[in-house]
Amino acid sequence: MHPTTTKHVSFLAVIFWLAVLTGVWFALDGRLRQYDQWLFNRLGHALCPWAGEDFPQLLAPEEAVKMEPVVSETRLRECPVVGMVELNEQACAAAFAALPLGAQDFAVLLNKLQQGGATTVGLSAPLVWQGEQGDMVREMLCRVLGGFPHSAVGLRGRTAAQPDFTPAMLRNSSIPPENITGDPSGLPAANRPQPNGLTETPDALAVVWAPDWLEGEPHTQNPSAIDSISFPLLMRWNGETIPTLPFRLALARLGLDGKDVKVKLGQEISYGGFTLPIDANSRTRLTDAKVLSLPLADVVSGADLTTRLGKRPCIMLEQPAAGQHTPLRLERLARTLSQLAGTEKVITHTSERPVGGRVLRQQPVLPGWQSRSLACVCLLIFLWVMPFVPGFLRWLILLGLPCAVVWAAAGQVQQGYWFAAAPLLAWWLVLALVFLLHRTHEKGLFGKRRH
């Protein structure tokens, strides 16, 4: 039989190791801040909703927070206010001497808009006039239209059994096929223009045209029942995809054309750095559009448009077909133009934030002499008892100490606090080394073994 081994713990040895461990703690306290920084940074990113670039400031209880200036940008879509001018019979009768309006009346009206400061003008009208309109009158109308920096006239169309060739004035604005993906079956379609009194004029080739009202296509004739849905942005004409009247005007105002447009039908449309969602009918949401109704009488009297619409006034005119009264359609055309002609406005904000983005306040481990005295007493008892604890249980207790420190650190960081965890973990390594040496030392570090 093996002789029984007993342990004798020396009080002087316990006092010695208590002094050693206490000295180690005070030597380490406050000297391992960089390791605490690393630990609490890792815990913060793992457990808290911190941004990737955040790095915590570890501050003493009364230490001032270090601040740094932060410049942030807010990007807004700034849409022009589009003036709406409805050319219905009642308004025209009050503003003009005779009805129905002829090409000369349209020229006079557009000239008044030009004098009022308008720079962007869209015209949606049948352009069918009673009686013979002289070539000079029609050419005058075309010249007035060409005098605006940006103008476009709506070309009305229909779908016929025998299609015509796509008019040259529309082909020039078509979107290249390689810029388009998706199913085009939902787009309004036409293959023949409706007759009008302007397209046969030689000067009409210099006028900007865009698809507008289409026979048999309700999306182009009546506004959507949903107030926030735009006029269709695109139409199919003999298989070519062409921007409609408000979109063509918006592109011109932004200095773009069809080649600058990329489309994922049913998903999104991109142009000039903007991307807007669209449905299968190429309609988008009108979230920022601004419109203002302008009485026709005020326009004819030569009112200054810049006082109502700001710089570079934008106007949409509509003359309903005979027997029709569609003010909501005019509003939808104008709102669509406003939304699509919007530009990006960047607002810069300067503010201050803590350096690193996060602040953790220190919770002292041993804040006063009472807690330090109690800690020394507990450590004295611990050193006295541990030599009698079986080896397996002893190491289980020792391994539980660093786990408890990390667990406490995780709880503290979630509440915005930190404590000197790194010195505690380093002190634990010294403590573990003491008991490891005691186990391997023949005589023991806390006293002699007796057989």
Side-chain angles (χ1 to χ4, degrees):
M1 296 180 62
H2 295 286
T4 302
T5 300
T6 61
K7 297 177 181 178
H8 170 71
V9 176
S10 169
F11 181 74
L12 292 177
V14 170
I15 294 297
F16 171 78
W17 288 115
L18 174 64
V20 169
L21 291 171
T22 302
V24 167
W25 167 254
F26 282 103
L28 294 175
D29 190 25
R31 298 179 183 274
L32 301 178
R33 179 68 67 87
Q34 68 271 27
Y35 299 105
D36 281 319
Q37 191 90 53
W38 179 88
L39 174 63
F40 282 92
N41 181 49
R42 293 282 181 164
L43 291 174
H45 282 95
L47 303 175
C48 305
W50 289 7
E53 67 277 7
D54 284 351
F55 195 76
Q57 287 187 53
L58 303 187
L59 301 181
E62 303 301 327
E63 188 177 353
V65 179
K66 300 180 181 67
M67 305 296 288
E68 63 181 354
V70 177
V71 178
S72 60
E73 293 182 346
T74 301
R75 297 181 180 273
L76 304 175
R77 189 174 180 85
E78 190 171 42
C79 297
V81 180
V82 176
M84 304 182 296
V85 181
E86 186 178 7
L87 306 178
N88 57 51
E89 292 185 6
Q90 182 179 358
C92 290
F96 290 91
L99 294 179
L101 299 183
Q104 184 173 352
D105 297 316
F106 276 92
V108 170
L109 174 59
L110 291 169
N111 188 56
K112 289 292 185 179
L113 288 173
Q114 193 173 57
Q115 293 175 3
T119 61
T120 304
V121 173
L123 174 60
S124 174
L127 300 178
V128 177
W129 302 301
Q130 292 184 359
E132 180 64 27
Q133 304 288 315
D135 290 343
M136 184 177 296
V137 173
R138 291 185 293 176
E139 290 172 5
M140 179 177 64
L141 174 56
C142 293
R143 285 196 298 271
V144 173
L145 282 167
F148 291 97
H150 313 292
S151 66
V153 179
L155 182 64
R156 301 193 166 200
R158 62 190 178 94
T159 299
Q162 294 296 325
D164 285 349
F165 290 108
T166 303
M169 65 274 284
L170 296 185
R171 286 202 307 270
N172 294 336
S173 65
S174 64
I175 300 172
E178 60 269 20
N179 288 6
I180 304 170
T181 59
D183 181 11
S185 61
L187 298 181
N191 59 19
R192 178 177 292 184
Q194 296 274 32
N196 67 64
L198 196 60
T199 52
E200 300 303 322
T201 304
D203 285 355
L205 293 175
V207 174
V208 176
W209 295 84
D212 179 19
W213 186 96
L214 299 185
E215 184 180 282
E217 290 284 2
H219 292 311
T220 69
Q221 299 178 19
N222 305 306
S224 170
I226 303 174
D227 183 61
S228 62
I229 296 296
S230 74
F231 190 82
L233 311 187
L234 306 170
M235 291 184 184
R236 296 283 285 176
W237 200 294
N238 279 336
E240 296 185 69
T241 304
I242 301 171
T244 58
L245 175 61
F247 191 25
R248 180 78 190 272
L249 261 182
L251 290 174
R253 186 178 173 91
L254 296 172
L256 307 171
D257 59 24
K259 301 181 185 63
D260 301 307
V261 180
K262 293 186 178 181
V263 185
K264 295 180 181 178
L265 293 170
Q267 298 182 45
E268 63 184 29
I269 188 167
S270 301
Y271 63 98
F274 293 108
T275 298
L276 300 176
I278 58 172
D279 62 13
N281 307 123
S282 75
R283 300 175 300 176
T284 190
R285 291 280 182 181
L286 300 173
T287 56
D288 306 296
K290 304 172 185 176
V291 295
L292 178 66
S293 181
L294 299 176
L296 179 58
D298 290 357
V299 175
V300 174
S301 66
D304 182 7
L305 300 175
T306 58
T307 58
R308 301 187 187 184
L309 304 177
K311 296 180 179 179
R312 301 174 64 207
C314 191
I315 304 293
M316 180 65 72
L317 304 97
E318 187 201 28
Q319 182 188 39
Q324 294 182 350
H325 181 65
T326 56
L328 292 180
R329 182 178 186 272
L330 169 60
E331 181 183 347
R332 195 56 48 90
L333 285 168
R335 291 181 66 197
T336 303
L337 171 57
S338 175
Q339 180 75 34
L340 299 178
T343 55
E344 186 177 66
K345 181 179 181 180
V346 180
I347 301 176
T348 302
H349 308 273
T350 302
S351 58
E352 286 193 336
R353 70 161 191 171
V355 174
R358 298 288 169 176
V359 173
L360 299 180
R361 288 286 179 186
Q362 185 178 18
Q363 290 278 46
V365 177
L366 301 173
W369 67 267
Q370 297 95 336
S371 59
R372 293 176 185 179
S373 301
L374 179 61
C376 288
V377 171
C378 293
L379 180 59
L380 177 65
I381 297 172
F382 180 83
L383 294 174
W384 186 276
V385 173
M386 281 294 284
F388 298 100
V389 176
F392 172 77
L393 184 58
R394 181 191 310 166
W395 288 108
L396 191 63
I397 294 172
L398 287 175
L399 291 176
L401 291 177
C403 295
V405 172
V406 175
W407 180 269
Q412 290 289 295
V413 75
Q414 294 179 74
Q415 299 177 38
Y417 295 101
W418 74 283
F419 63 91
L424 272 177
L425 293 173
W427 179 84
W428 167 82
L429 286 175
V430 176
L431 178 64
L433 181 62
V434 168
F435 282 100
L436 180 63
L437 291 175
H438 172 69
R439 182 175 180 274
T440 57
H441 198 278
E442 182 178 354
K443 294 183 179 181
L445 298 179
F446 291 91
K448 296 180 179 180
R449 295 185 178 93
R450 296 178 180 177
H451 299 281

